[in-house]
Amino acid sequence: MSGHKPKVDPHAISQDIQPIMADLDRWIDHVESANQVSGLAIAVIQADQVVHERMIGYADTGRSEKIEADTVFRLASLSKAFATTLSGLLVEDGQLSWDTKVTSVLPTFALADPGNSNKLTVADILSHRVGLPHNTYDNLLEQNEPYPLLVERLNEVPIACPVGECYAYQNIAFSLIGDITYALTGSFFYHEVGKRIFHPLGMETASYGRDALEQSAHWARPHRRRGKQWKAFMPNEVYYRMPPAAGVNASLRDMEQWLIAQMGGRPDVLSADLLHTLQTPLVETPRDLRSTPWRRGRLLDAQYALGWRVYEYAGERLVFHAGAVQGYRAMIGFLPKRKVGMVMLWNCESAAPAGLMPMLFDRYLGLPSVDWAGVGPTRVASRKGGDVK
């Protein structure tokens, strides 16, 4: 079995999760043997400890460069939680309020309806309650229209619902938080994230932008399938133009520290009050209930908070987000009550790894086994007391 496995202190692994790691490795073995990914990095966290790490495949198949724990990937929309966390730190400093009106900081900003323009708050943009149609102008961004011009043109888009009253996922409108951060601090958004989040958490290889990705000591090229092979290609610049929405690069080791912090393990950097605010649901997201097989099979409720999706997973609260850009996929999720979480990064557009997270949570919670990832027969959890109502 290939793939790096670190030495994990067995005393850091509680008895309720230790046997599940063998199952997880078996599932990952199948993903590897079936050549379902070009490269994949996975970590499992319990409380403030890394209890499992696994890397398979290649950062660059053409050069036979293997994925390592410090290999840097694009995070795509996992970037949004960094933007909301920075905003929360600015709120704690008194530089910003969740109720700050966007037009009070960016006077030229406008939506199609002046009344909605004047109502729009920081919390609204960070929870996708802007009132615009889903993914407004992403298609034009992908045709190389510049972000500043698209922001100006938001006033041409008919409002889908009143500001603050419905959910519709955004990238361009969400990225207004970068302009707001600069206006309030005089510092570029990505500098503030580096200073306030990356550095304090020890996220040593985390960065923003395509240049920074390609200057990393070891980074994962995006791949696409060609016949039975995975072929590397160069990263697309498009979504890097909106750093708050999709600009972060990070390694598995970086994301382990991020997950620990989001589960409350770094109160010196992220306070419990801040985490509670970020992870408190604000708006229903009913489409999530039917978007994938595991969501249809497990979710009882789906909402969006501030940069995080909050699900009721078979009766258990799950804080989650996924990200996707050309040639990269990422997922992060944790059960706050149990302080157990998982992060996955891969450098191709395969759907298979996405099923591993719900399979892990199913096993941990003692739910009936379902092969969400297409990895063959799964074993029903035998841990007593794991039933979820």
Side-chain angles (χ1 to χ4, degrees), residues 143-160:
Q143 296 170 25
N144 292 317
E145 291 285 343
Y147 162 75
L149 178 60
L150 294 177
V151 168
E152 289 182 9
R153 291 184 55 192
L154 290 177
N155 64 6
E156 302 172 6
V157 182
I159 294 296

Side-chain angles (χ1 to χ4, degrees), residues 121-163:
T121 68
V122 166
D124 290 330
I125 65 172
L126 296 180
S127 57
H128 305 291
R129 295 177 295 166
V130 182
L132 294 167
H134 283 270
N135 297 93
T136 293
Y137 286 154
D138 281 8
N139 60 327
L140 296 183
L141 185 77
E142 292 172 2
Q143 296 170 25
N144 292 317
E145 291 285 343
Y147 162 75
L149 178 60
L150 294 177
V151 168
E152 289 182 9
R153 291 184 55 192
L154 290 177
N155 64 6
E156 302 172 6
V157 182
I159 294 296
C161 75
V163 163

